[in-house]
Structures are given as structure tokens and as C-alpha cells.
Amino acid sequence: MDEARLARARRRSVVQTAGAIGLVLLLVGALMFVLTSRQESRALNDELTRVLAAAEDVDDPPPGQFLALRRPGGTAVEVTPGASPALTRVLDSAVRRPPGRHDASAGDDRPVRVVVQRRPDGSDWAVAADLAPLRRRQGQLGLALLVAELAGLAGALVTATLLARRAVAPLATALGMQRRFVADASHELRAPLTVLHTRAQLLARRARDRPAERLTGELDQLVADTRALGEVVEDLLVSAAAEHQPLPDTQVDLAEVAREVVASMSAYAREREVELRLEAAGSAPVRGARPALRRAVTALVDNALGHVPPGGHVTVTVVRRDGRVAAEVADDGVGLDPTETDRLFARFAHGTAGAGRRFGLGLALVQHVARAHRGTVEVTGAPGRGATFTLLLPPG
């Protein structure tokens, strides 16, 4: 799952970076094309205006340009020799129109630009220029800019890919190392710890048959220590595997799970002189993985027992609330600071009070199980007034 997330993040980074660079290149290219085209068109207009200003003295206009004259009061139009019949008709029509500038076609899709001037003596002058060279230069400019855009986009894709790989590579390496460490440590330690725990139990039974009370106490402590270490390893293994394995979609009675947890932890609660109670009426079906839900409820109960002094109470309640199934674990212990609620669910975070296991994995595991089951975890409490952790899941 982590690999898929990293791949999506890498692709998203490449697309966003290349898209941003491509958009900038497109805008710059379009701006250059517009400005250059306008500048060339303006230069042509200025040239035609200069030709008209000196039309009387021009016998041979520049190549590609033709003059037309209609004398005052006359109807005939004199056109520079060499103009095609189509261009002659354009000039004849233009010189009879009001002064100004416009583009026309001189046949065979040959575009021309015509500028008309009226002199003070009443004569009308017109000049026509072939626009083909201008259009050709504009097409060449557009093609050059398009090629530059494509080359820039290809370069942007390569650059974005390299940058994305470089940015994500350390994160991928760190995630891989963390996952391998947790999984390897859990698998390597679980077997010897199980053997150690079993042998310690056998030694404790044998020692009780002998008058070695001191040895018996030490062995009991060894059993408790191995139990605590085993729980830490189990938390590590579940936490590492849960993020990479899909949860089975089966119906689970959360009330029955809570009853099993309370029954299994009653002895531990009595050792701590804490009353552990269960309030569950009827079944509370949800969909998900029974082992994961049992581990989550166990972690909540264990956390509560670790923060309740002797003589305190821990109550596990399973009810339906607002269309969801709630497993609520409430205690009357040392409570918590509401400002530290978010930090409680961080991995390896240590609590500031309580005598239970403070390895920071239990609550992190609860939150992960809740999210995997499309649920949430709510926390309420205050310093010295106990705390309540509620696991809310959609009904099954």
C-alpha cells in the first residue's frame, strides 16, 4: 500500500510540475507570437503609409506593392503596370471607398493589404501590398514556437520525473526500512519470547512445590516481564502487517468481542485492585476482522487499567449510537489533558501519567484499526476526572 501511495505521489508530482512548466511555456510562446505578429503588421502599415506619402514621386514602388490613383472629379483609376487583373479590381474598388486600411483577397487566396488616402486636391491614392510574405513569416514563427513548446514540455517531463524521484526516494527508503525493521524484529523475537515465557511458567509451577518463596517471586516477575515483552512484539507485528494486508469483510459481534476481552483481562484487573465491568445489551454486529477488533478493545482496556489507581473502576460499554456501534471504555483514573489528545495516538508516544504499559503502540493501533474499519476514535476527559475512549464503527 505504501508503494502504491508513493507511486501516486510521484505521478501527481510529475503531472503537476510538468503541467505548470508547460502552461508557462504556452503562455510565453503565445505572448511572443502575438507581440511579434503585431510588430510585423505595424511595420508593414508604416511602410505603406510612407509609400503613399511619396506616391507622386514613385514610378516604381517596392516589390510586391502596387499603386492606384483616381484623379479629382474623375472616374478612371490608374494602376501601376504589372498588377494582375484581380489585384487591379481590388485597387479599383478600394480607391472608390472612404480612406482607411483593410485586408482583401486578390484571387487564388492571395491576401493583400490596401491603404487608401485622400489628398487635399481631391485625388484618391491607394497602395496594395502582398501579405503572403507576412503570413509565411508568421507561420514559420508559429511552427518554431510549437516545436520549442514540445521540446520544452519534453524537457519539463524529464526534469519533473527526476525531481519527483529524488524527492520521493528518501521517503520510500525510510518507509521500507521502517517496515522491514518492525516486521523482522517481530518475527525474530516472537518465537524465542514464546519459548522463554513457557519455560518461565513451568519453572514457576515447579518452584511453588518447593519452599523457595524468594525464587518463586522472581520467577513470577520473569513471567510478567516476558508477558509485557510479548505484548510489545505483538503490537509491533500487528501494526506493521495491518497497513499492508486487507482486512477480511466478515460480520463480527462487537459486544461478544468486548465480553471476551473483559473476561481475559479480569485477572489482570484484580491484581491491580481495579473493578472491570461490562455493560452490553444484545448483539452489536459490525463488519471487519475479529482479531484486529479484539486487539483494539484490549488496547483500550489495558490503557484504562494502567491509569486507574487501586480501588478505581473501568467500564466497557457496547451500544448503538447515532446509527453506529460504539465500544466505550471509561475509567475514573488520573484523566488526561485535552490538549494532548492528538499526541496520544502517535506511535511510541509516552504518557505523562499512569502505571500501565506506556509503549505508545496500543492507542496508535486502535486508531489504525478504526480507520481500516471506516470508523473513528473519540477521546474525552480532564485531569483528575478520568478519561473515556470510544471506538465508533459503522454497523454490519
Side-chain angles (χ1 to χ4, degrees):
M1 185 177 295
D2 285 336
E3 288 78 7
R5 291 176 179 174
L6 289 174
R8 286 196 299 269
R10 189 184 299 114
R11 289 194 297 269
R12 190 180 301 114
S13 176
V14 171
V15 172
Q16 291 176 349
T17 304
I21 296 176
L23 181 60
V24 171
L25 291 176
L26 180 62
L27 293 176
V28 172
L31 182 61
M32 289 180 59
F33 180 82
V34 171
L35 293 178
T36 303
S37 299
R38 287 184 177 179
Q39 183 178 2
E40 289 189 352
S41 180
R42 190 180 300 113
L44 178 60
N45 294 335
D46 294 339
E47 181 182 354
L48 295 178
T49 302
R50 288 194 298 270
V51 171
L52 280 180
E56 294 90 345
D57 302 327
V58 175
D59 295 327
D60 186 15
Q65 297 181 9
F66 299 89
L67 289 170
L69 167 63
R70 189 178 68 167
R71 299 187 181 279
T75 58
V77 177
E78 302 174 17
V79 180
T80 303
S84 65
L87 182 57
T88 300
R89 288 192 297 270
V90 170
L91 286 170
D92 184 83
S93 174
V95 82
R96 302 176 189 277
R97 297 171 59 180
R101 181 178 63 247
H102 66 277
D103 293 343
S105 176
D108 298 330
D109 294 330
R110 182 184 179 187
V112 294
R113 177 162 297 174
V114 182
V115 179
V116 180
Q117 271 188 3
R118 175 163 291 176
R119 299 294 175 81
D121 61 357
S123 62
D124 295 317
W125 287 87
V127 62
D130 189 358
L131 289 178
L134 177 62
R135 296 288 185 262
R136 188 165 48 253
R137 289 194 299 272
Q138 290 177 342
Q140 293 173 349
L141 175 62
L143 180 61
L145 290 176
L146 179 60
V147 172
E149 292 281 350
L150 294 177
L153 183 58
L157 283 173
V158 174
T159 303
T161 301
L162 295 177
L163 290 176
R165 288 180 179 178
R166 181 172 296 182
V168 176
L171 180 59
T173 302
L175 289 175
M177 292 177 60
Q178 180 187 22
R179 185 169 63 252
R180 287 194 298 271
F181 166 76
V182 173
D184 293 345
S186 301
H187 285 293
E188 292 293 332
L189 290 175
R190 185 164 61 172
L193 281 175
T194 301
V195 174
L196 178 62
H197 183 63
T198 302
R199 289 180 178 177
Q201 286 180 314
L202 293 175
L203 287 174
R205 290 198 193 100
R206 293 173 182 174
R208 290 192 184 92
D209 298 334
R210 302 175 183 177
E213 297 179 358
R214 183 176 179 181
L215 178 60
T216 300
E218 293 178 353
L219 290 175
D220 287 339
Q221 185 62 42
L222 176 62
V223 171
D225 292 341
T226 55
R227 171 182 174 274
L229 287 174
E231 290 174 344
V232 174
V233 172
E234 189 66 24
D235 277 348
L236 283 168
L237 182 59
V238 173
S239 178
E243 297 182 1
H244 308 283
Q245 297 177 359
L247 293 174
D249 188 20
T250 58
Q251 190 174 73
V252 181
D253 186 355
L254 194 59
E256 182 180 349
V257 171
R259 281 191 287 271
E260 293 177 357
V261 171
V262 171
S264 65
M265 300 196 70
S266 294
Y268 177 57
R270 286 194 296 270
E271 290 180 4
R272 297 188 55 79
E273 299 181 9
V274 175
E275 182 181 357
L276 179 59
R277 299 176 296 193
L278 172 66
E279 296 180 2
S283 62
V286 297
R287 302 201 69 83
R290 187 184 187 90
L293 293 172
R294 179 187 172 97
R295 195 70 185 133
V297 176
T298 300
L300 290 178
V301 174
D302 177 69
N303 179 74
L305 292 174
H307 290 79
V308 176
H313 306 81
V314 174
T315 304
V316 181
T317 306
V318 180
V319 295
R320 288 181 175 270
R321 178 190 303 170
D322 298 330
R324 292 192 292 179
V325 177
E328 180 181 281
V329 180
D331 65 73
D332 54 4
V334 297
L336 55 85
D337 186 350
T339 60
E340 296 186 353
T341 299
D342 294 337
R343 194 181 67 85
L344 295 176
F345 294 97
R347 292 186 178 185
F348 305 105
H350 292 262
T352 56
R357 294 191 297 115
R358 312 297 340 123
F359 299 107
L361 283 170
L363 294 181
L365 181 63
V366 172
Q367 188 177 59
H368 178 76
V369 171
R371 290 175 177 172
H373 288 77
R374 295 178 288 110
T376 58
V377 182
E378 296 181 353
V379 184
T380 58
R385 299 176 60 182
T388 300
F389 289 77
T390 305
L391 175 63
L392 292 169
L393 301 175

